[in-house]
Amino acid sequence: MIKFLDLQKINLQYKEEIESKLINIYTSGWYLQGEENKLFEKKLSTYLNVPFVIGVANGLDALRLILKAYIELGIMKEGDEILVPANTYIASILAITDNRLVPVFIEPAIDNYNLDSTKIEAKITPKTKAIMLVHLYGQIVFNEQIIEIAQKHQLKIIEDNAQAIGAEKNGIKSGNLGDAAGFSFYPGKNLGALGDGGAVSCKDEQLATTIRTIANYGSNEKYVNTYKGLNSRLDELQAGVLTIKLKYIDAENQKRRAIAKRYCNEIKNSNIILPKYPDKELEHVWHLFVIRTSNRNKLQTYLTKNNIQTLIHYPIPPHQQKAYSEYSNISLPITEQLHKEVLSLPISPVMDIIEVNKVIKAINEFDN
C-alpha cells in the first residue's frame, strides 16, 4: 500500500538528531518555556524574516490568540465580522466564533480552491474588521487586490498558514504577508512536530506581547494576570524537534514540488481535474495535492484496490456542519461542489519514483 503520508519514514530521516535532542531536553529537567522554545522562535523568525514569533500549543490556538489579542487591544469587539474562505478547514471558523466574532463566508475560485479576491469587497460591512486568508493545501493566496481592499477598508490581514510554511509570493514567505499569521505543526503538516504545536508570527510588538501574555494565562509576571488568558504554550520537546526539522523544510518542500509537477504534467485522464502548477514554483508547497472528479467515490475505491491510499480534504464544508447549523440555510454552490469532488493523492518528501509512477499510471487507467 502506498501510504497517503508515511510519518514514520519522514521522521526517521532525522532519527539521530531528534533522539539526541529529546534526551538532552529530558535530562535538562526544563520542559516548558525554556531555551528550546526561545531558539525555535528565533529560528522561525529568521526563516520568515518577520520580527516576532510566539510558540503556542497548536494551530487553532494560534488563530484564536491573534483574534483575542486584537479584541484586548480594542481593534475588534464581539459581533465584528471576519471574512473567511467558505471551503476552509473548520479550525479557521472555530477561531472566529470562539472569540464571539462572526465568520462571513467567501466563495473560493473553482480553479485553485483559494479565496476568490474578486468576491471580497461585496461582503464588507461597517462591522468587518479582518480578512482571514487561508493558504489552502499549501497554495498561496495573496495579491495586490487583497492589499488594496484591506487598506481601503482598514482591515487586518490574518494568514491561516497551517498548510503553507515555506511558500512564497514575490520573494516574501507566507506568514509574513499580512499583519499576523497562525501556524500549525500537527504531525502531518509539512513542518510537523511529534505531537501538537503551533506558532504565531506578526510584525507589531504590542500585538506580539499581548499574544504571548494571553497564551500564558494572561500573565507576563508570575501570579499577576492582565487578561483572562489561555494556557497555550509550545513545550520544549516539540520546540526541539521543530528546530531540527526546520533546517530541512525547504528541501522537503522541493521534493513535494517535484512530485506535484510530475502529477500535473503526466496525469492525462480527461475525467480528472488537476490543480495548476504555478509559473513561480516557490508559491506553493503542496501540503496536499488535490484533484477533482465527478465520481470521487468510484475513483477512491479504485485507487484503494490498487493499494493507493487517498483522503478527502474535506467531505463537509463548515456551513453544513452540525456545529454551525445556524448557517445551514446559506447557499455556497462552488464550495459545496468542491467538497463533493475533491480527492487528495499521496504526496510527501519520502515518496519514491516507483510510488509516484504507480499513482500516475493508476489514475491514467481509471475509467469513469
Side-chain angles (χ1 to χ4, degrees):
M1 173 68 76
I2 298 175
K3 292 183 180 181
F4 180 76
L5 186 65
D6 192 335
L7 285 178
Q8 185 180 40
K9 193 173 181 181
I10 288 171
N11 287 314
L12 284 176
Q13 297 176 104
Y14 317 118
K15 181 177 184 290
E16 292 183 5
E17 284 185 88
I18 289 174
E19 285 183 350
S20 175
K21 176 70 73 173
L22 294 178
I23 289 169
N24 288 341
I25 295 168
Y26 167 63
T27 57
S28 76
W30 195 291
Y31 308 122
L32 272 175
Q33 293 190 305
E35 294 305 313
E36 291 296 338
N37 193 54
K38 291 176 185 176
L39 177 62
F40 175 66
E41 289 179 348
K42 182 179 178 181
K43 294 288 187 181
L44 184 57
S45 173
T46 300
Y47 178 77
L48 299 171
N49 193 29
V50 69
F52 304 105
V53 167
I54 305 100
V56 300
N58 53 68
L60 172 56
D61 276 6
L63 297 175
R64 290 170 69 208
L65 285 160
I66 292 167
L67 295 170
K68 190 170 177 63
Y70 277 135
I71 291 170
E72 293 290 358
L73 292 170
I75 292 167
M76 297 176 188
K77 64 181 184 301
E78 182 178 332
D80 282 341
E81 296 171 350
I82 309 297
L83 307 183
V84 62
N87 62 319
T88 184
Y89 181 57
I90 201 168
S92 312
I93 314 302
L94 290 170
I96 296 168
T97 60
D98 184 67
N99 281 288
R100 297 185 179 180
L101 300 167
V102 178
V104 176
F105 300 103
I106 309 291
E107 286 268 58
I110 198 163
D111 60 338
N112 63 23
Y113 319 139
N114 268 329
L115 180 146
D116 187 341
S117 58
T118 67
K119 296 176 180 176
I120 293 175
E121 201 152 20
K123 294 286 188 176
I124 294 174
T125 75
K127 289 189 173 184
T128 307
K129 292 296 186 291
I131 306 168
M132 184 177 287
L133 299 179
V134 182
H135 304 304
L136 197 63
Y137 307 147
Q139 300 185 136
I140 206 160
V141 51
F142 198 75
N143 57 38
E144 288 299 322
Q145 185 178 21
I146 291 171
I147 297 171
E148 290 170 5
I149 291 171
Q151 291 175 344
K152 177 181 175 181
H153 297 278
Q154 297 183 306
L155 305 179
K156 297 296 183 183
I157 296 177
I158 300 168
E159 296 175 75
D160 180 340
N161 201 41
Q163 300 184 7
I165 187 167
E168 295 183 8
K169 188 70 173 181
N170 299 326
I172 301 172
K173 283 192 166 58
S174 59
N176 189 16
L177 294 167
D179 295 286
F183 293 76
S184 169
F185 305 125
Y186 178 79
K189 296 295 194 280
N190 290 32
L191 180 63
L194 299 185
D196 253 325
V200 173
S201 63
C202 65
K203 302 170 185 176
D204 180 82
E205 185 173 8
Q206 187 180 25
L207 179 64
T209 300
T210 305
I211 289 169
R212 191 179 295 281
T213 303
I214 293 171
N216 186 40
Y217 294 96
S219 172
N220 57 14
E221 180 183 347
K222 197 165 186 177
Y223 304 131
V224 178
N225 301 81
T226 307
Y227 307 111
K228 296 174 183 177
L230 307 173
N231 174 18
S232 184
R233 299 172 296 194
L234 182 66
D235 70 64
E236 291 288 277
L237 292 168
Q238 302 306 337
V241 170
L242 290 166
T243 298
I244 291 169
K245 294 182 72 176
L246 182 62
K247 295 187 296 183
Y248 304 104
I249 187 65
D250 287 339
E252 290 203 354
N253 282 342
Q254 198 56 39
K255 291 176 182 178
R256 289 174 177 271
R257 291 185 182 110
I259 295 168
K261 197 166 192 175
R262 286 202 61 198
Y263 283 165
C264 288
N265 290 339
E266 297 177 39
I267 293 175
K268 301 294 185 181
N269 192 321
S270 60
N271 298 308
I272 305 298
I273 299 171
L274 298 168
K276 181 183 177 185
Y277 198 88
D279 295 330
K280 298 178 180 178
E281 68 168 18
L282 294 181
E283 288 188 352
H284 296 344
V285 292
W286 302 100
H287 171 60
L288 300 171
F289 190 92
V290 181
I291 63 174
R292 288 168 46 215
T293 178
S294 59
N295 204 338
R296 178 176 66 196
N297 291 343
K298 183 178 179 182
L299 175 59
Q300 188 171 40
T301 300
Y302 162 83
L303 291 173
T304 300
K305 288 179 179 177
N306 280 271
N307 293 313
I308 298 169
Q309 184 184 24
T310 59
L311 295 176
I312 299 170
H313 298 89
Y314 303 96
I316 306 171
H319 73 284
Q320 292 184 336
Q321 296 282 359
K322 184 178 180 181
Y324 287 108
S325 58
E326 64 267 37
Y327 299 111
S328 60
N329 63 335
I330 295 175
S331 176
L332 295 165
I334 296 174
T335 294
E336 290 157 20
Q337 179 183 347
L338 289 176
H339 282 260
K340 291 175 183 176
E341 295 180 348
V342 293
L343 185 68
S344 301
L345 302 182
I347 186 168
S348 85
V350 294
M351 281 185 74
D352 61 35
I353 292 173
I354 294 172
E355 290 174 323
V356 176
N357 289 344
K358 184 175 179 180
V359 173
I360 293 169
K361 183 175 185 292
I363 294 178
N364 282 339
E365 292 177 354
F366 172 67
D367 184 0
N368 198 39

